[in-house]
């Protein structure tokens, strides 16, 4: 099975989980990168990130070469911003349709998954979502969350 992990990460936690899953499944990995991303440190990143979500922003993404149609399973990973997925995914969903695609979704957060999985389902009505997984406080429990990611990955193959 050909597997792709598509993720956005600002603080590194979602990227860490993507790497763990990718290593376990021998998957290709695609990082979504906005052309003008928000700053990685400081309180204002929360304000700017939340504002992007609440105003339904679609940031321009850097180009990538992956052909999403080629993959049997696509795993989507996002931090939780204002209870939702990051705006980079909104841009991705505007460009690519995931109709009849087999998907798994994960999120990383420090205080609650909010409506992130429901928002994915709402925006991917014709996709086959086979699994959802949340990883809480990954930065403080890196080893434990890494093991959880590997265990979850094994259920997807």
């Amino acid at each position: 099975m050909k597997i792709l992990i598509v993720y956005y990460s600002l603080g590194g936690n979602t990227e860490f989980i993507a790497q763990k899953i990718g290593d376990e499944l021998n998957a290709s990995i695609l990082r979504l990168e906005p052309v003008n991303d928000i700053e990685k440190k400081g309180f204002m990143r929360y304000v700017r990130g939340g504002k992007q979500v609440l105003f339904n922003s679609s940031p321009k993404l850097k180009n990538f070469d992956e052909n999403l149609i080629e993959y049997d399973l696509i795993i989507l990973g996002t931090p939780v911003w204002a209870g939702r997925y990051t705006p980079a995914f909104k841009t991705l969903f505007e460009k690519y349709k995931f109709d009849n695609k087999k998907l798994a979704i994960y999120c990383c957060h420090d205080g609650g998954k909010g409506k992130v999985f429901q928002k994915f389902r709402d925006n991917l009505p014709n996709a086959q979502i086979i699994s959802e997984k949340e990883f809480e406080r990954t930065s403080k429990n890196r080893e434990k969350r890494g093991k959880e990611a590997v265990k979850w990955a094994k259920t997807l193959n």
Side-chain angles (χ1 to χ4, degrees), residues 39-58:
E39 59 275 359
K40 294 182 188 293
K41 303 230 184 243
F43 177 76
M44 287 308 291
R45 69 184 172 157
Y46 299 110
V47 174
R48 289 191 179 98
K51 181 180 171 187
Q52 284 182 8
V53 171
L54 296 173
F55 284 99
N56 214 16
S57 297
S58 298

Side-chain angles (χ1 to χ4, degrees), residues 2-3 65-74 101:
K2 197 168 178 186
I3 303 170
D65 295 330
E66 292 293 338
N67 181 358
L68 305 183
I69 304 300
E70 294 178 1
Y71 291 90
D72 303 305
L73 171 64
I74 300 175
K101 278 310 237 185

Side-chain angles (χ1 to χ4, degrees), residues 109-125:
H109 63 81
D110 280 344
K113 66 181 182 207
K115 297 179 181 179
V116 73
F117 295 133
Q118 184 59 52
K119 292 296 181 183
F120 271 115
R121 286 191 301 275
D122 291 348
N123 287 287
L124 300 165

Side-chain angles (χ1 to χ4, degrees), residues 2-69:
K2 197 168 178 186
I3 303 170
L4 175 66
I5 301 167
V6 179
Y7 76 94
Y8 172 86
S9 188
L10 186 65
N13 295 321
T14 309
E15 180 174 40
F16 172 76
I17 298 297
Q19 291 295 330
K20 289 293 186 181
I21 295 168
D23 290 348
E24 180 62 30
L25 298 177
N26 194 29
S28 299
I29 298 178
L30 169 62
R31 179 184 181 136
L32 297 177
E33 296 182 76
V35 171
N36 296 310
D37 208 354
I38 63 175
E39 59 275 359
K40 294 182 188 293
K41 303 230 184 243
F43 177 76
M44 287 308 291
R45 69 184 172 157
Y46 299 110
V47 174
R48 289 191 179 98
K51 181 180 171 187
Q52 284 182 8
V53 171
L54 296 173
F55 284 99
N56 214 16
S57 297
S58 298
K60 183 175 179 180
L61 298 177
K62 293 181 182 178
N63 291 330
F64 55 84
D65 295 330
E66 292 293 338
N67 181 358
L68 305 183
I69 304 300

